[in-house]
Amino acid sequence: ETYIGAAMKGDMLRVQTSAQRDALKMVPEGTLLHNVADNCDYVRTPSGKWAKTRDTIAVAAPYTSDRWWLSREWDTVIVSGSIKYNNSGQQNHATAKETIPTGWRPYGDNHTGISYGIIGAVNANWCNFVRPDGVIIMLGNTEAHYSCVTGGWQCREWRD
């Protein structure tokens, strides 16, 4: 009881295992927790789940077998990578078959808007817009270049 009372004042809880984390059902939304087993920090979401406050994943990118690296720190997603593109030909707002997974998508209330998230190729005339529904819109021509990529957006889905 004292331990949970401290959490209500904004202190970070510390547990040894994921089972201990998941057993904490009565802590309020916004409570922070550190899990020693996976060395990750979590926050209690409005839906009652424990969500990582930071994470990194690899995502398939259009016209390459390489992957974009998405890193999330709270609500901010940063995209990076070193890519060898295949030739795309000119793409004028074409839809990619690849998508951004749920929990990593840009925040926005217009699911057809294209300006929520942007991933740009540094060495190529190539840009990708990411919509709030995870759809990637392609613009430009990769010209089979090697390129670094960079981009980012705000994301709130991970908290749901």
Side-chain angles (χ1 to χ4, degrees):
E1 296 293 324
T2 307
Y3 195 58
I4 291 173
M8 290 193 294
K9 297 175 185 167
D11 293 343
M12 183 177 279
L13 299 174
R14 184 180 181 95
V15 296
Q16 300 299 312
T17 67
S18 296
Q20 287 176 337
R21 176 199 64 209
D22 295 342
L24 293 171
K25 305 273 187 215
M26 300 302 291
V27 295
E29 169 191 339
T31 299
L32 296 172
L33 174 140
H34 180 77
N35 184 345
V36 174
D38 64 9
N39 196 31
C40 290
D41 294 336
Y42 294 82
V43 64
R44 188 69 165 194
T45 66
S47 65
K49 75 173 186 175
W50 289 103
K52 286 183 181 179
T53 59
R54 70 176 60 96
D55 207 354
T56 302
I57 62 170
V59 175
Y63 290 101
T64 182
S65 59
D66 294 328
R67 303 178 75 69
W68 292 329
W69 285 98
L70 277 59
S71 299
R72 185 184 44 73
E73 179 86 23
W74 290 93
D75 288 354
T76 303
V77 173
I78 301 295
V79 183
S80 62
S82 179
I83 306 290
K84 167 54 176 117
Y85 283 107
N86 300 321
N87 195 11
S88 67
Q90 184 64 35
Q91 303 294 314
N92 294 318
H93 297 275
T95 301
K97 65 179 185 208
E98 298 82 3
T99 60
I100 301 299
T102 301
W104 293 84
R105 297 171 177 172
Y107 171 73
D109 56 7
N110 178 357
H111 289 284
T112 60
I114 62 169
S115 59
Y116 290 102
I118 298 184
I119 303 168
V122 177
N123 273 357
N125 183 21
W126 183 248
C127 181
N128 299 130
F129 301 110
V130 180
R131 296 188 331 204
D133 59 2
V135 171
I136 299 168
I137 305 298
M138 304 174 292
L139 182 61
N141 186 343
T142 64
E143 299 173 352
H145 283 302
Y146 285 91
S147 184
C148 294
V149 295
T150 186
W153 54 81
Q154 292 299 116
C155 171
R156 295 186 185 168
E157 288 180 322
W158 67 276
R159 295 193 267 174
D160 296 337

